[in-house]
Amino acid sequence: MHISDIIQAGSPTFSFEFFPPKTPAAAESLYQTIRELEEYMPHFVSVTYGAGGSTRDLTHDLVERIQNTTKLDPIPHLTCVCHSEAEIESILQRYAKSCIGNILALGGDPPRECAYDKSGDAFQNASDLVKFIRRFNESGVHPDPRGFGIGVAGFPEGHPATPNRLVEMEHLKAKVDAGADYIVTQLFFDNRDFYDFRERCELAGIRIPIIAGIMPITSMSGCKRIAELAGGARFPAKLLRALQRCEDDPKMVSRVGVHFALEQCHDLLDNHVAGIHFYTLNKSDATRTIFEGLGIPRRRSEEISASPSR
């Protein structure tokens, strides 16, 4: 089932993001996390790529394992970086064969370990990748006659590579015009940034659902890591002040971070957000605490099994 179909049904979606494990120990830890979060029956889970597609095979394997061994609906990331058209087509064929319903089409991060020449990529922008997936959908290979549902990224605080916010919105509009069905945002800590972004999307003629990305802070070191992952996240003074009061107590830091994220989620739901996407960093404790604090009714198993893609 396309994610946009679920959102249009009326209730907000709740989803989790994982990244592929790099070692057997990390793999076992991740599958434990997946088992713990499966009982919450999220509407979907997304699986990331490493920088430059460095974990692409691990991503494909994890997506198929989730699809075949759990009740979860996985959405793989696909990126433009270091890919040819033939490679992307092969991946799409593989996912279609596995009845994967949706793709998240991203520009992607460049590889860090080697020299990178963007001009050699078949897809220069995420909008080019969206167009290619849309053309693939028209081939009739996918078991769903509509093909893949296509999601793209949005940046409430602005894209780090595009300081001009007007140009940034033009890029987002190009992705939507190319055929995107929904937007998943980068993480943010001030809901005002999200509401402003949502309003600017409306002014730009972007009418597709916008899912908010939330990542709870669970450690002081995590703050710097989050800022690096997000390309420079803005931490409100209110959050920093609360964290500094307890920075020598790791348990209290985690409690403060989770409480702040829970308040964010309550406010987003009160303001009719289309969905909330939790960046889990492959851990379940904080996400489970927030999920339970929101008092979200569990979806029934029959709701999931009734999906055409399952």
Side-chain angles (χ1 to χ4, degrees):
M1 179 178 289
H2 287 191
I3 297 305
S4 55
D5 292 341
I6 300 172
I7 295 172
Q8 289 168 5
S11 299
T13 61
F14 296 94
S15 52
F16 308 132
E17 179 166 291
F18 305 119
F19 59 85
K22 296 181 180 179
T23 67
E28 184 54 39
S29 176
L30 173 57
Y31 296 133
Q32 178 61 34
T33 295
I34 290 173
R35 284 192 291 269
E36 291 169 351
L37 292 176
E38 184 179 5
E39 65 182 85
Y40 292 89
M41 296 185 180
H43 293 87
F44 66 91
V45 298
S46 67
V47 182
T48 71
Y49 256 28
S54 57
T55 59
R56 63 182 59 167
D57 290 333
L58 292 172
T59 295
H60 306 330
D61 294 343
L62 178 58
V63 166
E64 291 180 329
R65 182 168 183 179
I66 293 172
Q67 176 79 349
N68 295 327
T69 65
T70 76
K71 295 178 181 178
L72 300 173
D73 188 8
I75 298 183
H77 290 200
L78 270 186
T79 68
C80 300
V81 177
C82 301
H83 268 312
S84 66
E85 288 192 2
E87 288 172 335
I88 291 293
E89 183 165 12
S90 176
I91 294 168
L92 293 175
Q93 289 173 344
R94 177 176 176 177
Y95 285 150
K97 186 176 180 180
S98 297
C99 297
I100 302 300
N102 298 269
I103 298 286
L104 196 57
L106 307 169
D109 298 321
R112 299 167 185 164
E113 297 80 16
C114 60
Y116 167 63
D117 182 4
K118 180 179 173 65
S119 65
D121 292 339
F123 307 97
Q124 289 297 297
N125 301 291
S127 58
D128 298 326
L129 182 56
V130 172
K131 290 176 185 176
F132 188 84
I133 299 171
R134 191 59 74 187
R135 287 199 299 272
F136 179 89
N137 286 347
E138 295 170 359
S139 69
V141 172
H142 198 285
D144 185 324
R146 300 171 298 174
F148 294 104
I150 306 173
V152 293
F155 298 84
E157 297 179 359
H159 194 290
T162 312
N164 187 324
R165 302 297 299 275
L166 297 177
V167 172
E168 178 208 346
M169 292 305 296
E170 290 174 1
H171 291 169
L172 180 58
K173 184 65 162 59
K175 292 188 285 188
V176 174
D177 291 345
D181 300 302
Y182 61 96
I183 296 166
V184 181
T185 77
Q186 178 61 277
L187 62 92
F188 57 90
F189 295 100
D190 191 329
N191 286 2
R192 290 175 299 180
D193 289 324
F194 176 79
Y195 300 140
D196 179 75
F197 172 74
R198 190 167 64 176
E199 188 172 355
R200 284 185 291 112
C201 284
E202 185 175 345
L203 291 170
I206 296 171
R207 302 283 188 262
I208 61 177
I210 304 173
I211 297 172
I214 296 294
M215 181 184 286
I217 292 173
T218 56
S219 69
M220 293 304 293
S221 61
C223 284
K224 293 182 180 179
R225 184 181 180 192
I226 287 170
E228 183 178 348
L229 289 171
R234 187 170 68 85
F235 296 96
K238 176 183 177 181
L239 173 59
L240 292 175
R241 189 179 302 114
L243 290 170
Q244 288 174 0
R245 278 197 291 261
C246 60
E247 60 184 337
D248 295 326
D249 185 337
K251 289 186 177 179
M252 283 303 298
V253 167
S254 180
R255 287 181 63 181
V256 166
V258 168
H259 177 72
F260 190 90
L262 179 59
E263 286 190 326
Q264 273 192 277
C265 292
H266 276 301
D267 184 69
L268 289 166
L269 293 172
D270 288 343
N271 285 277
H272 313 294
V273 70
I276 298 176
H277 188 59
F278 294 99
Y279 295 104
T280 69
L281 293 180
N282 287 11
K283 298 178 181 179
S284 67
D285 290 350
T287 304
R288 292 168 67 191
T289 300
I290 295 169
F291 211 81
E292 290 170 356
L294 291 173
I296 302 164
R298 305 285 178 89
R299 291 197 301 151
R300 298 185 302 274
S301 296
E302 55 267 26
E303 289 183 67
I304 297 176
S305 60
S307 169
S309 65
R310 304 306 296 166

